[in-house]
Amino acid sequence: MKCRECDEFLADYVSGELAADVLATFELHLSRCRNCRTYVEQYRLTIAAGKTACEAAKEAKGDMPEELIQAILAAARPVRDHSS
Amino acid sequence: MQDTIDRGQGENRPDLSLDETELLARLRSGYGSAYEELVRTYSGRLLAVARRIVGNDEEARDVIQDAFLNAFRSLPRFQGEARLSTWLHRIVVNSALMKLRTRRRKPEESIEPLLPAFLADGHYAEKFSTWGEQADTALSRTETKALVRRRIDELPESFRTVLLLRDIEGLDTEETARVLETTPNAVKIRLHRARAALRTLLAPHFGRGEL
């Protein structure tokens, strides 16, 4: 396996979806190729960085403008009255 | 304290929490306070989801309004097959994607310049230098997280959307393919390229230890 093939299998490798025989070949290449080991590590860190950066924003609360909440509740009234 | 309700054998659905079950019952009875509780509890986080996908505040607000209205209309059909929060999240993601589709289409920039190059013998053309511990440490800082989000926003839209849905919003490959009206294989390829491109965009920052 060359670095190019390694790259093609990388997404399945990090998600643990490689078939056993491909995984063995992939890891054999990694054991011999420091550049690929570094790349795989950076690929993993990139995924983690995206998650960490966006999780922080996802957990942020309190930035929902009150006028938007009121607009949603006003729009809900006809639906609510119709369904009750 | 028991916080879940047994939904019975043979039903392939997650347990709703007692709070959610009670809230759902009040919503179905048309209590105004239940609608307000639903909006106040979930809207802040959902606004952040919408903002990430559409990329700006104004359209994110439209998305949230549309999504909640859709949710209210769909309440009679909601059978508790998912948590309320998960169900609302899916509705917001769909509304945000609808908003993206209604935008005037402009030609997307190629992602190729951000992908790793290979030599004729199949080796990477670039020699990668390790990011080491500095990337992990840097990610605990607010300004680094903001920088990562800005780099994600720089990805071509069709790649950014897949990365957000798969790696951030937690949709699986099949569901991402369904909402984007494409194939699971196309999703896998786009996700891999999006990650590789984001790595390229982050490398100057993490590699040099400037963060």
Side-chain angles (χ1 to χ4, degrees), chain B residues 38-49:
Chain B
L38 185 80
V39 174
R40 291 196 183 278
T41 302
Y42 298 110
S43 60
R45 286 176 194 179
L46 293 173
L47 181 63
V49 170

Side-chain angles (χ1 to χ4, degrees), chain A residues 79 82-83, chain B residues 13 24 27-28 35 67-82 84 87 91:
Chain A
V79 182
H82 180 74
S83 64
Chain B
R13 60 174 65 166
L24 192 55
L27 285 166
R28 285 183 170 144
Y35 280 72
F68 269 104
L69 207 54
N70 280 340
F72 296 147
R73 287 185 182 128
S74 305
L75 268 172
R77 296 191 299 278
F78 178 63
Q79 298 297 318
E81 62 274 15
L84 255 180
W87 178 68
I91 293 174

Side-chain angles (χ1 to χ4, degrees), chain A residues 7 35 42-43 53 66, chain B residues 40 126 128-129 149 192 199:
Chain A
D7 187 87
N35 208 30
Q42 291 183 1
Y43 188 89
E66 184 60 29
Chain B
R40 291 196 183 278
E126 180 184 347
F128 305 109
S129 54
R149 291 197 292 272
H192 176 56
R199 189 215 66 84

Side-chain angles (χ1 to χ4, degrees), chain B residues 104-200:
Chain B
R104 190 182 303 180
R105 288 270 178 197
K106 37 179 197 184
E108 191 170 276
E109 282 186 32
S110 170
I111 201 166
E112 291 295 328
L114 295 174
L115 301 181
F118 294 91
L119 302 172
D121 65 2
H123 288 91
Y124 284 110
E126 180 184 347
K127 179 146 176 39
F128 305 109
S129 54
T130 183
W131 290 351
E133 287 182 12
Q134 57 210 25
D136 275 338
T137 310
L139 269 174
S140 63
R141 288 199 285 276
T142 304
E143 60 267 34
T144 309
K145 290 173 187 164
L147 180 138
V148 172
R149 291 197 292 272
R150 286 199 299 276
R151 295 292 94 86
I152 291 174
D153 286 343
E154 287 175 20
L155 295 173
E157 189 170 290
S158 66
F159 295 89
R160 186 181 66 89
T161 305
V162 169
L163 184 112
L164 287 175
L165 296 182
R166 287 283 289 110
D167 281 351
I168 314 300
E169 305 304 339
L171 273 65
D172 63 26
T173 300
E174 282 70 25
E175 189 165 16
T176 303
R178 186 175 56 73
V179 297
L180 293 177
E181 299 174 350
T182 187
T183 63
N185 197 45
V187 167
K188 290 177 90 165
I189 292 169
R190 264 192 246 170
L191 176 63
H192 176 56
R193 291 183 176 177
R195 289 166 171 173
L198 181 59
R199 189 215 66 84
T200 302

Side-chain angles (χ1 to χ4, degrees), chain B residues 13-83:
Chain B
R13 60 174 65 166
D15 295 339
L16 290 177
S17 71
L18 281 176
D19 283 350
E20 282 200 352
T21 306
E22 190 246 359
L23 177 59
L24 192 55
R26 287 197 295 124
L27 285 166
R28 285 183 170 144
S29 300
Y31 286 104
S33 62
Y35 280 72
E36 183 163 353
E37 185 179 333
L38 185 80
V39 174
R40 291 196 183 278
T41 302
Y42 298 110
S43 60
R45 286 176 194 179
L46 293 173
L47 181 63
V49 170
R51 191 184 290 132
R52 263 199 306 279
I53 296 174
V54 298
N56 68 75
D57 280 344
E58 193 181 337
E59 287 186 311
R61 290 178 184 206
D62 291 344
V63 165
I64 287 295
Q65 279 190 289
D66 290 347
F68 269 104
L69 207 54
N70 280 340
F72 296 147
R73 287 185 182 128
S74 305
L75 268 172
R77 296 191 299 278
F78 178 63
Q79 298 297 318
E81 62 274 15
R83 285 180 175 277

